[in-house]
Amino acid sequence: MKKVFVFFLICIISSTTKAQDRKITILGTVIDKNTKETLVGVNIIVTKKGTATDIDGKYALELPYGKHQITYKYIGYQDLTKEINVSSETRLTYNISLTPSSEQLNTVVVSAGKFNQRIEETTVSMEVIKPNFIENKNSSNIQTAMEQIPGLNITDGQANIRGGSGWSYGAGTRVLVLVDDIPLISGDAGQVQWDLIATENINQVEIIKGASSALYGSSALNGIVNIRTSYPKQPEIDKNPKPGFTKVNMNFGVIDFAKRAALNWYGDKRRSFKGIEFLQSLKLDNLDLSFGGNIFQDDGYRLNETTDRKRFNLNSQYKSKKIKGLSYGVNANSLFQSTASVLIWDGLDRAYIALDNDVTTTSGDSYNIDPYITYIKGNNRHSFRTRYLKVINDNESLDSLLNQDNTSKSYYSDYRWQKNIEKYNLSFTTGSTNEIIFARAEVFQGENYRRNHALYSQIDKKIGNLNISTGARYEYFSLDSETKHVIDGDSIDHFATGSPVFRAGLNYQLGKSTFIRTSWGQGYRFPSMAELFVSTNASGIEIYANPDLKPETGWSAELGIKQAIKINKWVGFIDVAAFIMKYYDMMEFTFGQWGDPLTMPLYGLGFKSVNIGETQISGIELSVNGQGKINNDLIINLIGGYTYMNPIVMNPDEVYTESIGQVLINGELIGPELTYSNSSSDPSILKYRYQHIAKIDAEFIINEDYILGTSVRYNDFMRNIDKVFTDEWLNQELIPGINEAREKFSNGDLIFDIRAGYNLNEDAKLSLIVNNIFNREYMSRPADMRPQRTIALQLSLKI
C-alpha cells in the first residue's frame, strides 16, 4: 500500500511539474486607438520579463500555464493592463488598442536622448514644429518656418539660438542642423544646406536649445535642429487597405512695390515667384517608399538676385521577411540650382541693388545618399546610419576676378546601440560616429582633409516622478592641408586634437501636469575650413585666413518649468526657462589691417576670424505651444514666445589679437592691439545680437473648413556691430547708408504675416498667404534689407 501511495505521489508531482513547464506563445499587434496606426517600441511587461513591439507593431511573448497580468506601456499613451489565463492552447492572440493620454502634451521627441520621450519629460528646452505648419506658411525653404521658433534667428543661412551666434559671413555654425540624426552641413564652409532639405517630406522638426555636443559633437555648441522625415503609415490590423498618399502643392506669388519709390528698381511691373512640390508615399508589401520633388523659380526682390531650383528626394525602408526586426533602406536628396545672392547693398535708397553690382551666382549639383540598417530584438535596438554628402558650388561674381568655386565631400557614419531595461526604468545608449571630409577650393588654398572620430554614451533612469539623464562623449579631430601654414611660428600641414565633453539633467514631475527641469552640458566647436583658410574678396571687402584659430569650448545650463494646460480638447503648455551659456575662445570675424598695406587692396584692411576670449549669454525665455479643439467648431494651433538675452564679453578691454597696423575709424586710431571695446560700436553687448525677441503664430480652423492664421515677429535694435561699419568715411565712400539706416530703424522691427484658407473638399485646400502685410522696411544685419510685402496663392491637393 505504501508503494502505491508513493507511486501516485510521484505521478502527481510529475504531472504538476510538466504543467508548470508547459508554455504558450502570446501574439498580437498594438495600434493607436484613434488613428489605427501600428505603434513601434511598445513595452509589454509580465512580472520579471517582457518584450517590445517590432517595426510592424507586432509582439510575441512566451508564458507558462497559469494566470498572468500583462501591462502595455508606451510614451504619450495610457497604460493598459490585461489579465489572462493561460491554459491548453498553444497560441493566443491579443491585439491591443492604446488610447493617447489626453492630459499630456502628446508630443514625442527623439533628439533629446536619441530615443522616444514625451517632450515634457526631457531635461532640456525643446521646441517642435509639425509639417502642417511648414505647409501653411508656404515654405519652399524650411528657413521660413524656422523664423517663428521662439529664441531662434537665422542670418545669412546661419542659425543662432538665444543669442549664441552673431553674423559669421556664412562660415561656421554653432547650431548643428541634422536630417534624420545625421548632419547636413557642408564640409568646407560649415554651411547648413537648407535648400537640400525636402520640405514636402517632413514628419517633425525638433529644436534643442543649449549645448548638445555630448550626443551630437562639434557644431552643436549652441543647440541642434533635427528634421525627421516620414514614411508611409502602417495599415490598421485585420484590414488590408492600400496605405500611402499623393500630395501636391502649387503656389504663385508676387513681390509688392516698396513704400518708398526709390527702392522700386523694377519699375511698374511686380516681381514674381512660383513653385510646385509633390510627394508620393506608398507601401508595397514589406517596402515603404516615398519620393517627391520641388521646383521653384523666383525673380527676386533684389536686382539680379534670381533663383532657379529643382530638388528631388527618396525615402525607402524594407522590412525583412526572413529576419524578424530587421529593416534597411536608402534615403537620398538631390539639388540642381542656380541661386544668386547679395552680401552688401548700394545704399539705403538703393537697398535692393548690390554694391558695385556684385551679385554672386551659385550653380552646381549637390546631393546626399543615406544607406542605413536597423535591427530590433526585444528591448535592444541596433542602428547603423551613413551619409555621403557632396556639395558643388560654382560661384560666379560680377565684380570679382577670383575663382571662388568650391567642392566638398563628406562621409559620415553613426552606429548606435540602445538597451531599454523596463524592470529598472533604465535606458542605455552608446555609439560611435565617424566623419571624413575632403574639400578643394582656390579660396581655401588648395585641398584640405579632415577627420572626426567619436565615442558617446548616455544613461537615462526614471525613479518615480524623477527622470535622470547623464552622458559623455570624446571626439578626436585632425586636419591635413595641401598647403603648409604658419601656426604658432611653425610651418605645418597637419593638426590634431581631442576633447571630452559631459552633460547631466534632471526632470521632476511636481504634479499631474507640472514638470520642473534643470540641465548642464558642455560643448565645443572646431573651426570650419573657411574660417581657417579662406582668402577672398566679397563686395569689395577682403577676407583673410587665420590658420592659428583655436577651437571654441563652453557650457550651458538652465532651470525651467513646464505647465501643461487643457481646455476642452485643446492641450498645450506654458514653459519658462532661465539660462546661461559660457564660451571660451569664441570665434568672431573682426576688422583690422591683416594684409600688406603696399600690395593688398584697401591697404590690407579687411576681416579675419579671430578668438575674442571669454563670453557669456544669460537670460530668460517664456514660450507657449498647443493644439486641439476649443469646442466642436473651433481648432486652435499656437506657438510663440519671448526671449530676453544679455550677451556680453567678460573682459572687453583685454587685448585678444594684434593687427599689422593702425586704422582710423571716426577720427580714432584703432590698433594694432585690438580689444572688444575699441573694435565695437557698443562693447556692452556682443556683436550682431538682439536683447529682446518675441514671436507668435496662431492658427484658427473653423468648422473644419475655414482657416485663418497670423504670425508676428519682433526684435529690438541691434546695438553692437563692427565699429568700422559706423565710420563716416566708409559710409560715404565704400558702403553708404549704414549709419542712416541704423538711425531710422533704432526702435527695432515688428513684422506681421497673415494667411487664410478654405478646404474645397476632403482632398483640396486653397490658401492666400501675405507676408510682411504692412510692407515694413527692416534689416537682419547692416547693409541687408529684407523683402517687402509678398502675396501668394497656394493650392494643396492630398489624395
Side-chain angles (χ1 to χ4, degrees):
M1 186 68 182
K2 186 176 180 180
K3 291 182 178 179
V4 173
F5 175 76
V6 172
F7 174 75
F8 277 107
L9 182 62
I10 291 172
C11 290
I12 292 170
I13 294 172
S14 176
S15 62
T16 302
T17 303
K18 287 181 179 179
Q20 290 176 344
D21 289 341
R22 295 187 64 183
K23 296 180 180 181
I24 70 163
T25 301
I26 308 294
L27 303 171
T29 304
V30 184
I31 65 169
D32 182 299
K33 185 176 181 179
N34 298 332
T35 66
K36 310 304 180 186
E37 295 171 11
T38 54
L39 301 176
V40 180
V42 177
N43 291 304
I44 300 139
I45 307 160
V46 183
T47 315
K48 294 184 178 181
K49 67 183 302 183
T51 187
T53 56
D54 62 17
I55 54 179
D56 295 314
K58 300 182 183 298
Y59 71 95
L61 188 66
E62 204 173 57
L63 294 175
Y65 276 18
K67 292 184 178 181
H68 300 277
Q69 197 174 70
I70 305 179
T71 301
Y72 300 83
K73 300 179 70 174
Y74 195 56
I75 293 172
Y77 290 78
Q78 298 175 10
D79 292 351
L80 178 65
T81 300
K82 293 185 72 69
E83 291 189 357
I84 64 171
N85 188 6
V86 177
S87 55
S88 58
E89 293 91 344
T90 57
R91 287 177 179 265
L92 287 175
T93 299
Y94 282 95
N95 291 325
I96 302 299
S97 298
L98 293 184
T99 303
S101 177
S102 60
E103 298 299 323
Q104 302 298 339
L105 303 179
N106 239 358
T107 298
V108 177
V109 296
V110 173
S111 303
K114 294 198 173 186
F115 67 95
N116 285 354
Q117 293 175 278
R118 290 210 313 259
I119 191 171
E120 63 269 33
E121 292 186 346
T122 63
T123 62
V124 294
S125 281
M126 289 195 69
E127 303 285 352
V128 173
I129 56 177
K130 298 291 186 178
N132 284 345
F133 176 75
I134 299 170
E135 179 182 309
N136 293 343
K137 292 283 290 181
N138 193 32
S139 304
S140 62
N141 186 309
I142 197 172
Q143 293 181 72
T144 308
M146 300 293 292
E147 289 177 350
Q148 287 301 138
I149 299 298
L152 187 147
N153 285 88
I154 298 177
T155 303
D156 287 353
Q158 299 292 347
N160 88 80
I161 296 174
R162 292 173 172 172
S165 300
W167 179 35
S168 61
Y169 296 81
T173 178
R174 295 188 184 98
V175 176
L176 184 62
V177 176
L178 310 106
V179 174
D180 292 328
D181 296 331
I182 306 178
L184 196 71
I185 294 177
S186 66
D188 46 17
Q191 290 181 323
V192 180
Q193 300 302 295
W194 297 107
D195 289 338
L196 201 53
I197 297 172
T199 54
E200 62 274 11
N201 189 30
I202 290 178
N203 178 55
Q204 185 165 282
V205 181
E206 301 173 3
I207 299 96
I208 293 181
K209 302 175 181 180
S212 304
S213 293
L215 270 181
Y216 293 98
S218 182
S219 295
L221 185 63
N222 188 213
I224 72 159
V225 175
N226 192 8
I227 294 105
R228 295 167 56 192
T229 58
S230 61
Y231 292 91
K233 302 299 184 183
Q234 297 290 342
E236 181 182 353
I237 58 173
D238 299 329
K239 294 185 179 181
N240 189 32
K242 293 181 179 179
F245 60 87
T246 301
K247 180 176 73 173
V248 179
N249 290 330
M250 296 169 281
N251 68 80
F252 175 82
V254 295
I255 303 167
D256 208 351
F257 299 115
K259 281 186 177 180
R260 288 192 294 134
L263 296 177
N264 296 321
W265 58 268
Y266 40 86
D268 57 359
K269 184 179 179 181
R270 291 178 173 87
R271 310 290 283 176
S272 65
F273 55 91
K274 56 188 175 183
I276 181 171
E277 66 178 28
F278 70 93
L279 178 68
Q280 176 64 59
S281 179
L282 63 153
K283 185 176 175 64
L284 305 171
D285 195 17
N286 279 34
L287 175 65
D288 298 338
L289 185 65
S290 298
F291 56 90
N294 176 286
I295 299 173
F296 181 71
Q297 292 181 335
D298 185 0
D299 293 340
Y301 64 97
R302 294 185 177 115
L303 178 63
N304 295 323
E305 193 181 54
T306 59
T307 298
D308 187 349
R309 183 177 69 229
K310 301 175 184 66
R311 182 184 63 230
F312 302 96
N313 69 85
L314 168 72
N315 272 24
S316 65
Q317 179 178 246
Y318 183 78
K319 298 165 187 174
S320 175
K321 295 180 179 180
K322 294 182 179 180
I323 303 176
K324 184 180 179 182
L326 178 67
S327 64
Y328 48 87
V330 176
N331 300 337
N333 293 277
S334 61
L335 173 68
F336 310 92
Q337 67 168 341
S338 175
T339 302
S341 60
V342 171
L343 181 65
I344 300 293
W345 70 19
D346 197 36
L348 182 58
D349 290 335
R350 292 166 58 84
Y352 296 137
I353 299 174
L355 181 67
D356 297 327
N357 291 316
D358 188 10
V359 179
T360 299
T361 300
T362 301
S363 57
D365 307 337
S366 299
Y367 57 89
N368 65 281
I369 303 173
D370 307 343
Y372 69 92
I373 184 168
T374 302
Y375 179 61
I376 302 173
K377 185 175 183 180
N379 290 319
N380 291 277
R381 180 187 180 95
H382 300 269
S383 69
F384 183 64
R385 305 191 73 94
T386 64
R387 169 166 293 160
Y388 171 67
L389 171 63
K390 186 171 185 179
V391 178
I392 304 171
N393 290 324
D394 295 328
N395 296 314
E396 180 181 344
S397 175
L398 299 178
D399 192 51
S400 178
L401 299 177
L402 293 174
N403 179 6
Q404 301 189 42
D405 298 348
N406 57 82
T407 300
S408 68
K409 295 183 286 186
S410 304
Y411 302 85
Y412 185 93
S413 70
D414 177 83
Y415 166 75
R416 187 188 318 157
W417 170 51
Q418 292 176 314
K419 174 73 174 179
N420 186 24
I421 308 174
E422 188 65 34
K423 179 182 177 181
Y424 300 106
N425 287 319
L426 183 69
S427 179
F428 176 72
T429 303
T430 189
S432 170
T433 64
N434 297 276
E435 184 177 37
I436 299 174
I437 292 173
F438 297 91
R440 168 169 284 279
E442 185 176 304
V443 294
F444 296 153
Q445 304 176 49
E447 185 169 294
N448 299 282
Y449 167 63
R450 194 184 82 186
R451 290 184 297 156
N452 288 70
H453 306 290
L455 296 172
Y456 62 87
S457 291
Q458 177 160 305
I459 297 175
D460 293 86
K461 167 74 175 173
K462 187 167 186 177
I463 305 173
N465 288 345
L466 178 66
N467 286 300
I468 305 170
S469 180
T470 182
R473 181 186 186 99
Y474 182 84
E475 186 147 342
Y476 170 83
F477 168 88
S478 71
L479 180 66
D480 294 273
S481 178
E482 183 180 53
T483 304
K484 287 186 179 291
H485 301 277
V486 178
I487 301 177
D488 293 331
D490 298 322
S491 180
I492 63 176
D493 56 8
H494 174 77
F495 171 79
T497 186
S499 178
V501 290
F502 304 91
R503 68 168 300 270
L506 302 172
N507 183 302
Y508 184 75
Q509 186 173 355
L510 290 173
K512 189 175 183 180
S513 303
T514 306
F515 301 81
I516 189 170
R517 69 181 182 276
T518 184
S519 64
W520 172 88
Q522 293 178 303
Y524 60 90
R525 183 174 80 87
F526 298 115
S528 68
M529 293 182 186
E531 290 166 300
L532 288 166
F533 304 131
V534 70
S535 180
T536 188
N537 180 287
S539 295
I541 299 175
E542 290 295 319
I543 310 295
Y544 289 88
N546 185 9
D548 278 319
L549 204 59
K550 299 175 183 176
E552 293 177 322
T553 60
W555 58 267
S556 67
E558 75 165 23
L559 176 66
I561 185 169
K562 190 183 293 288
Q563 175 64 54
I565 51 178
K566 187 171 183 290
I567 304 172
N568 292 332
K569 294 182 179 181
W570 190 89
V571 180
F573 66 79
I574 298 175
D575 189 283
V576 180
F579 60 88
I580 182 171
M581 295 179 279
K582 276 270 194 176
Y583 296 104
Y584 306 96
D585 290 320
M586 176 177 267
M587 294 178 249
E588 272 194 2
F589 275 92
T590 299
F591 186 83
Q593 191 175 47
W594 309 113
D596 188 334
L598 299 178
T599 60
M600 296 300 293
L602 278 176
Y603 309 104
L605 299 175
F607 284 87
K608 182 171 75 172
S609 185
V610 299
N611 298 107
I612 64 170
E614 184 179 347
T615 62
Q616 175 181 293
I617 300 120
S618 57
I620 190 167
E621 185 170 77
L622 167 70
S623 63
V624 294
N625 200 330
Q627 56 186 357
K629 288 186 175 182
I630 294 293
N631 55 47
N632 292 333
D633 300 323
L634 179 61
I635 297 172
I636 298 180
N637 299 321
L638 181 68
I639 182 172
Y642 163 76
T643 309
Y644 166 77
M645 298 152 289
N646 185 33
I648 60 172
V649 172
M650 302 303 294
N651 303 295
D653 295 321
E654 180 182 63
V655 176
Y656 57 79
T657 191
E658 291 190 9
S659 62
I660 291 177
Q662 293 181 312
V663 181
L664 185 66
I665 300 177
N666 289 328
E668 179 185 358
L669 283 173
I670 306 299
E673 295 180 339
L674 294 181
T675 68
Y676 216 74
S677 293
N678 67 20
S679 64
S680 303
S681 65
D682 184 350
S684 66
I685 186 174
L686 283 170
K687 296 174 188 173
Y688 306 106
R689 267 82 164 183
Y690 304 115
Q691 278 200 295
H692 303 273
I693 298 174
K695 303 178 181 183
I696 191 165
D697 184 276
E699 183 177 77
F700 307 89
I701 303 175
I702 305 165
N703 293 326
E704 298 185 355
D705 286 330
Y706 301 93
I707 303 163
L708 296 173
T710 184
S711 300
V712 183
R713 298 181 298 282
Y714 167 78
N715 58 260
D716 66 337
F717 178 58
M718 185 180 286
R719 296 194 338 241
N720 190 17
I721 63 174
D722 284 287
K723 182 179 283 189
V724 65
F725 282 133
T726 67
D727 181 69
E728 290 298 332
W729 176 82
L730 182 137
N731 269 259
Q732 293 176 8
E733 302 297 330
L734 291 182
I735 308 176
I738 292 181
N739 284 343
E740 185 182 356
R742 285 175 59 77
E743 183 178 347
K744 180 177 181 179
F745 304 127
S746 60
N747 292 324
D749 305 308
L750 182 62
I751 308 300
F752 291 82
D753 305 331
I754 63 167
R755 59 185 183 272
Y758 176 68
N759 290 322
L760 303 173
N761 52 46
E762 292 184 354
D763 301 324
K765 180 179 69 174
L766 187 64
S767 302
L768 177 69
I769 302 101
V770 183
N771 292 330
N772 191 7
I773 187 171
F774 296 118
N775 212 8
R776 287 180 58 95
E777 295 178 26
Y778 66 106
M779 300 188 301
S780 65
R781 56 165 175 81
D784 178 48
M785 188 74 78
R786 304 310 297 159
Q788 56 269 59
R789 177 169 50 223
T790 62
I791 305 166
L793 196 63
Q794 181 190 66
L795 177 64
S796 302
L797 305 174
K798 188 173 182 179
I799 304 171

